[in-house]
Every structure is written in structure tokens, then in C-alpha cells.
Amino acid sequence: MAFVAPPGYQPVYNPRIPYLGPIYGGLREGMSIYFQGSIPEDITRYFINLLCGESESSDVALHVNPRFDGWDKVVFNSRQNGSWESEEKIRDMPFSKGQAFEMIILVNSQGYQIKVNGQDFHTFSHRIPVERVCALQISGDVSIQTINVIGVRRPVTAGAHLPPVPYSSMIPGGVSPKRTIIIRGMVPYGADRLSVNFLVSRSRDIAFHLNPRLGEGVVVRNSMTGGRWVAPITMHPCTMIVFVSQMSIRCGNQKFKVFVNGQHLLNFFHRHQPFTEVDMLEIEGDVQISYIHF
């Protein structure tokens, strides 16, 4: 039976701008919104709004507005009852014309912490309770490739988790042919490496070690038996360099198959026999996990 993820975990790819869409389940402290996009050469300005309703006239809890107008700046604000409040102008421009960017809005107890290309940029203090936010609006001179809400409000299907890293869990029922494990999350800008291990719990043998080394630009695949690593296999990681929204690891009779964002990335032929002894999953390194489905 095919697995369909709940709507709150679905990333948005290549949305048409202007964009207006819901944030399923709303926001809360500890969540974050990830944007991957690019700025055109002829940009004037664009904005991102966190809305308290699903219409353009709704209250705005956060307004992020980069302006390229000769006095380049980013303006932050909020709007209540149809009236804009006091602006916070940051006369610094972290975005570059003609360049790609990554932006993360992290929700904390103080406000919205904005990071651009891995660097802290500004924190906008809460003026409206974050629990009222239920929609996202984007308009202006910008191209967006990915929007992903990390750490959704609550799991809505069996098998869903919001786990810390490092992560370790038994795989209910163990690994079997045609079984697929789905991992969703975010690899932040500037991350170095992460690892996903499929283990035999009783021996601690690692049947499949998947190790994207982002700083080196390779993915290492390996196994460990009796405390010793076997000769690794490496390859270029393609779509895993900066951001992973979904990784699926499917077990077959001969090999593990790894897919990233629906695209086949690599295979790893079984070295541990029988592979059906694999019954544990471990995840470590530079990754923020939003969802795991066994």
C-alpha cells in the first residue's frame, strides 16, 4: 500500500509567485520555515508575510521586505486591523542580485529569528501571538524553488515522530523486502556531514551506513562487521549537498535503494546476511528531523 504523507509535512516546490498558501496546523515555538530561492538581476523588492488568515487582508504577524532601491535594506513589520505598525529597517542586504539564497525563519520564545545563507540576520520580536499564524504569502521579484515547514504542529498518523538528533530507534518488525523508511528534515546551510545507519541491534553490526560528507562533496556508503569497517564506496551526492526535504530508503532482496525528493540517488548491495536481522535505525550529524515513518 502506498504511503501518503499528511499535508502538514508536504514541501512546496516551485510555487507560482505571487503565492498564498496555508501552514497546516499553524506555527508554534521550535518550528521553522525553510526557503530556497533566487533573486533576479532586475529586482526592485519582494516580501514574505506570515498571515493570521488565508486572505491578503489578514493580520500580518511577520513582514519581511528586502528593498533594492539605491538605499538597500530589509524592512520588517507587522499589520493589525488593517494598519501597518512601526517598521524595523536593517540597512544591510544579505541577498545578492542574480544569486541563489537560503532563508530560514525560526520561531522562538522571543520572536522570529531570520537566517540567510547560514548567517543570523535579524530577530523580529513577537507582536501577535504565533498561534494565530496559519498562512504564508510571497510576492514580488523573487523565484522560490522550495518551501518547507519543519517541525509541524503535531503528528497525525501512526509512526510519525519529531525526534532529536542523535536519533536511535528500533524498527518495528525489522527490515523486510519492499519495506520503505521515510525521513524528512533539513540540512542547514554550512552543514558538514550526517549519517544514517541500519543496524543489527544484538551485534551492533551496521548493515548499511549512509554518510553524506557535504564539505567533501561525496556520499560514503559502507558496512561494519565485528567493529570493523569494510572498504567504503563513494559517489557525488547530487541533490543532497545543502538541503534534504525527503529521503526514502527502500529494502529489496539484493540491495537498499535510496531516493531523495523522489529521485533515485544510489543503491547499496547487501553485505550482511541475512539482511532481515536489521532492526535498528540511527541518525547523527548536521540535520534537523521533522518526520520519520517506518
Side-chain angles (χ1 to χ4, degrees):
M1 182 176 66
F3 170 72
V4 179
Y9 297 108
Q10 296 282 12
V12 177
Y13 297 112
N14 300 308
R16 173 180 282 181
I17 305 298
Y19 170 84
L20 178 61
I23 299 174
Y24 292 98
L27 289 182
R28 61 171 171 78
E29 183 180 340
M31 293 176 62
S32 57
I33 306 174
Y34 172 91
F35 303 88
Q36 189 177 43
S38 58
I39 304 294
E41 289 283 357
D42 57 351
I43 184 174
T44 300
R45 62 178 61 185
Y46 76 93
F47 68 81
I48 295 174
N49 287 340
L50 298 184
L51 299 175
C52 300
E54 294 188 31
S55 72
E56 295 184 1
S57 61
S58 301
D59 286 352
V60 178
L62 172 66
H63 173 72
V64 183
N65 180 205
R67 300 178 183 178
F68 292 79
D69 54 9
W71 295 273
D72 293 357
K73 56 187 172 291
V74 181
V75 174
F76 295 86
N77 208 343
S78 57
R79 185 180 66 202
Q80 297 193 64
N81 302 317
S83 297
W84 288 103
E85 301 181 309
S86 59
E87 292 184 339
E88 296 179 12
K89 296 180 180 179
I90 308 300
R91 298 192 180 278
D92 186 17
M93 181 54 70
F95 306 97
S96 300
K97 294 181 178 181
Q99 299 295 315
F101 70 89
E102 287 188 327
M103 185 173 78
I104 303 173
I105 301 174
L106 300 101
V107 184
N108 59 38
S109 58
Q110 289 75 41
Y112 300 99
Q113 182 183 1
I114 315 298
K115 291 177 174 281
V116 180
N117 295 335
Q119 302 297 315
D120 281 326
F121 181 66
H122 182 62
T123 296
F124 182 80
S125 297
H126 292 302
R127 299 177 180 177
I128 297 174
V130 68
E131 292 78 13
R132 291 187 55 199
V133 174
C134 62
L136 174 69
Q137 180 186 19
I138 305 172
S139 188
D141 304 323
V142 67
S143 175
I144 299 294
Q145 284 75 57
T146 306
I147 305 168
N148 199 15
V149 178
I150 306 295
V152 292
R153 191 171 183 84
R154 56 186 176 273
V156 294
T157 60
H161 308 278
L162 302 178
V165 177
Y167 169 84
S168 179
S169 176
M170 299 299 292
I171 300 172
V175 165
S176 57
K178 297 185 179 180
R179 181 158 198 179
T180 298
I181 293 174
I182 297 172
I183 304 167
R184 288 189 175 181
M186 180 181 69
V187 177
Y189 189 92
D192 183 31
R193 64 178 63 191
L194 64 102
S195 63
V196 178
N197 293 327
F198 288 83
L199 300 95
V200 179
S201 61
R202 61 177 177 79
S203 65
R204 297 294 301 175
D205 286 351
I206 299 176
F208 178 30
H209 171 71
L210 178 65
N211 177 210
R213 299 181 181 179
L214 308 178
E216 302 173 28
V218 296
V219 173
V220 173
R221 296 165 284 168
N222 210 341
S223 61
M224 175 187 284
T225 303
R228 294 188 176 185
W229 292 106
V230 183
I233 306 170
T234 63
M235 67 167 290
H236 290 287
C238 302
T239 56
M240 293 186 66
I241 283 290
V242 176
F243 177 73
V244 173
S245 60
Q246 176 171 299
M247 179 190 297
S248 302
I249 300 102
R250 184 179 305 161
C251 184
N253 286 310
Q254 286 81 39
K255 58 195 174 186
F256 290 98
K257 292 184 178 181
V258 179
F259 298 81
V260 175
N261 296 333
Q263 301 296 312
H264 179 251
L265 179 67
L266 57 85
N267 296 328
F268 184 77
F269 286 88
H270 297 308
R271 295 172 175 176
H272 185 95
Q273 298 295 335
F275 66 87
T276 51
E277 291 184 345
V278 175
D279 60 357
M280 178 176 280
L281 173 69
E282 290 185 346
I283 303 171
E284 299 178 333
D286 302 322
V287 62
Q288 181 181 353
I289 299 172
S290 64
Y291 176 74
I292 295 176
H293 181 83
F294 292 114

